[in-house]
Amino acid sequence: VQLQASGGGLVQAGGSLRLSCVASGRTFGNMAWFRQAPGKDRQFVASIDGTGRSTFYAESVQGRFTISRDSTKSTLYLEMNNLRPEDTALYFCGASRRLHVLTPNSYSVWGQGTLVTVSS
């Protein structure tokens, strides 16, 4: 059972990136993206249910980020637009039995993280 995140990189403020998280070993229902900046706690970004029809976002990314999934590819996505320097962090994908949970300890499976750096 693994989650493999990718797609991070260096981008200028106002730019865009798309993160991917490929699941292997089993099918996951409720999934989410979190991020962790240096010296800070892991922070909720967005979550999605198993059907892809129910999503929830942190206020700081609402209207700029879009979470989606392609179940045929066992892949979770995070489309990030209008990026800001404060979005700089290591981004993680996670899976939980519970839907739209904001606390990291409710997620039992994590990917390894992909680094997003936004320059001003």
Side-chain angles (χ1 to χ4, degrees):
V1 176
Q2 284 189 323
L3 298 176
Q4 183 79 25
S6 63
L10 174 64
V11 63
Q12 288 188 329
S16 299
L17 282 173
R18 187 176 80 157
L19 306 184
S20 299
C21 172
V22 178
S24 61
R26 57 163 288 186
T27 300
F28 294 97
N30 306 316
M31 299 189 72
W33 288 98
F34 281 72
R35 65 187 181 187
Q36 189 165 16
K40 294 190 176 182
D41 293 336
R42 194 166 294 191
Q43 176 188 48
F44 173 83
V45 175
S47 57
I48 191 168
D49 74 338
T51 70
R53 290 193 289 268
S54 179
T55 59
F56 184 74
Y57 296 91
E59 187 175 340
S60 59
V61 306
Q62 181 78 45
R64 300 188 298 123
F65 291 12
T66 301
I67 189 171
S68 63
R69 67 192 302 159
D70 184 340
S71 296
T72 64
K73 297 179 181 179
S74 298
T75 303
L76 176 74
Y77 300 103
L78 185 68
E79 185 76 36
M80 305 185 294
N81 297 314
N82 191 20
L83 282 161
R84 304 167 180 169
E86 54 264 38
D87 294 319
T88 295
L90 194 60
Y91 282 71
F92 297 88
C93 51
S96 173
R97 294 181 180 273
R98 300 168 62 192
L99 179 60
H100 301 324
V101 179
L102 309 189
T103 54
N105 58 12
S106 294
Y107 292 78
S108 57
V109 183
W110 291 100
Q112 85 289 3
T114 184
L115 181 62
V116 172
T117 303
V118 184
S119 63
S120 58

